[in-house]
Amino acid sequence: MTAALACAALLLTAGCSSGDGGWPPVAGTSASPGSPGTAGTAPGGTGSSSGPPAEQAPPAKGSARVLRTVTRELRTPWGLAPLPDGGLLVSSRDDATITRVDERTGKHTELGEVPGVAAEGEGGLLGIALSPDHGSDRLVYAYLTTVSDNRIVRMLYDPRKPPGQQLGAPSTVLRGIPKGVVHNGGRIAFGPDRMLYAGTGDGGDKALSQDKESLGGKILRMTPDGEPAPGNPFPGSVVYSYGHRNVQGLAWDGRQRLFASEFGQDTWDELNAIGPGGNYGWPDVEGRSDDPAFRNPVAEWPTDKASPSGIAFAGGSVWMAALRGQRLWRVPLKGTEASAGPQAFLDGEYGRLRMAAAAGGGRLWLVTSNTDGRGDPKPGDDRILELKVD
């Protein structure tokens, strides 16, 4: 496919309506943080007289400019968590370590190694997130692969201790997420509702994604202690949405609506707007379908153009890091629909891109993923970039 044809296909895809209509809030609430739509507003709508003002679409075309390389020589970086008092925490998938990077000087300080990690294939020490009360409780959450499962743990971070000894012993928050050599998911994030969300994969077993009793192929929503969050769509369950293949990106827009990136198999990668209890189709469909039982993606890409991992919001758009696609995608939104076709930046300039995180002031942190030695097209040192986006 020529570049022009590919661009046209992406534009047509992103311009399509999601076809799902207005999604209800989580049961028992008048408006659910983390779900598409807010009180008085249907996704993409203008709101009622008592609701929020009409949403404006950002410009169809944006810009992204690399301001600087923050640091280099990272090894298998996977998760990134900006600290409220400055500094960036980075997880190493294969080394099972968490490192603090000084965003001004680029200096690395290893906090310590997380015990119990079994790094193999796509598994290892994956996503990290800070407690909503990190300023007082100093807790760091991590999603990791063990010999038996994927699980979420939390640890005390004490910067007063010597380097290498600053992480306390991990305490398990949630266990039993299916593992595999591939499709381990791994992104975790606290939402605007202060609940913990996790994107999981099917672990290579497709049937798990449609099984609501399994934690595989899901987006999970739980309290900081790992209990089912109040108002979840399935009583007594941490399952928030299902029918996913491998979710590695989670982010909320300015109206507290949750979006997620998802790896396809052979045909379509996806960006989805997540509604509570929604079925996103895998393995019955990949990409869009005409079956009303499944929720369609906001945008989709051929797998060689994306293979998406971390996502972030800035300027009314989703910014999506692409691994195999080796580029940064921008998807402008109006509500829960794309308002224009996806736009690509940094195509092949920095190799595989693993993680995008909002840095404030129209800036992004962007993490590369070229050093795992597993058939990557562009081996080399990995880095964190600072970008200005508009």
Side-chain angles (χ1 to χ4, degrees):
M1 180 185 288
T2 66
L5 286 174
C7 225
L10 292 170
L11 178 59
L12 289 171
T13 296
C16 293
S17 166
S18 66
D20 295 315
W23 294 339
V26 174
T29 63
S30 60
S32 168
S35 64
T38 52
T41 306
T46 59
S48 67
S49 59
S50 61
E55 295 186 58
Q56 301 297 318
K61 297 296 182 182
S63 63
R65 176 169 55 96
V66 176
L67 298 177
R68 63 189 176 109
T69 294
V70 176
T71 196
R72 298 175 183 265
E73 298 182 359
L74 298 171
R75 176 170 156 75
T76 61
W78 210 99
L80 178 75
L83 290 163
D85 54 355
L88 306 170
L89 297 188
V90 183
S91 61
S92 169
R93 184 191 65 189
D94 293 355
D95 291 349
T97 56
I98 297 178
T99 297
R100 182 187 183 277
V101 174
D102 187 314
E103 79 278 18
R104 298 163 300 173
T105 67
K107 179 183 176 182
H108 299 186
T109 302
E110 185 178 302
L111 276 58
E113 182 176 344
V114 181
V117 175
E120 178 187 15
E122 295 176 2
L125 181 60
L126 303 178
I128 55 176
L130 303 181
S131 160
D133 297 313
H134 181 80
S136 57
D137 65 25
R138 310 299 295 182
L139 289 176
V140 177
Y141 287 69
Y143 184 114
L144 57 89
T145 310
T146 73
V147 294
S148 60
D149 64 358
N150 286 299
R151 63 183 60 178
I152 299 170
V153 303
R154 62 186 175 190
M155 301 154 284
L156 182 67
Y157 165 38
D158 187 349
R160 299 168 299 179
K161 292 187 175 181
Q165 302 175 32
Q166 294 177 357
L167 286 180
S171 172
T172 299
V173 172
L174 182 72
R175 67 178 75 235
I177 303 169
K179 63 165 284 189
V181 176
V182 295
H183 308 173
N184 290 289
R187 194 68 61 196
I188 57 174
F190 279 93
D193 55 1
R194 299 171 63 85
M195 297 294 111
L196 178 61
Y197 292 72
T200 74
D202 63 18
D205 183 350
K206 298 177 182 180
L208 298 182
S209 295
Q210 290 294 321
D211 180 0
K212 286 179 280 190
E213 300 300 315
S214 170
L215 301 181
K218 308 293 190 297
I219 292 176
L220 311 177
R221 176 175 178 261
M222 68 201 81
T223 70
D225 295 325
E227 298 297 323
N232 271 6
F234 308 112
S237 173
V238 295
V239 172
Y240 190 67
S241 63
Y242 64 108
H244 299 288
R245 183 173 180 268
N246 193 20
V247 175
Q248 288 192 9
L250 299 171
W252 288 261
D253 70 1
R255 300 200 181 194
Q256 302 185 356
R257 293 174 295 213
L258 174 61
F259 291 77
S261 62
E262 181 170 340
F263 285 83
Q265 178 169 275
D266 300 315
T267 310
W268 296 112
D269 294 325
E270 300 176 2
L271 175 69
N272 287 299
I274 304 300
N279 185 348
Y280 290 81
W282 179 255
D284 298 296
V285 297
E286 182 181 351
R288 298 184 58 81
S289 83
D290 295 325
D291 190 332
F294 305 131
R295 294 187 174 175
N296 280 326
V298 173
E300 57 186 16
W301 294 261
T303 54
D304 62 339
K305 304 295 183 185
S307 296
S309 193
I311 62 174
F313 264 93
S317 299
V318 172
W319 297 83
M320 187 179 82
L323 291 163
R324 185 181 175 194
Q326 299 189 43
R327 66 200 81 181
L328 177 67
W329 286 103
R330 172 186 181 262
V331 182
L333 298 174
K334 184 177 182 181
T336 56
E337 296 182 1
S339 58
Q343 185 182 7
F345 298 94
L346 309 181
D347 189 355
E349 293 183 36
Y350 294 93
R352 291 155 47 94
L353 304 179
R354 171 66 69 182
M355 176 65 179
R363 297 174 301 124
L364 294 178
W365 305 119
L366 190 63
V367 182
T368 69
S369 182
N370 297 308
T371 56
D372 62 14
R374 298 175 184 168
D376 293 330
K378 186 181 177 182
D381 78 284
D382 273 324
R383 62 188 72 186
I384 300 173
L385 304 169
E386 182 183 1
L387 276 65
K388 177 68 175 177
V389 298
D390 294 301

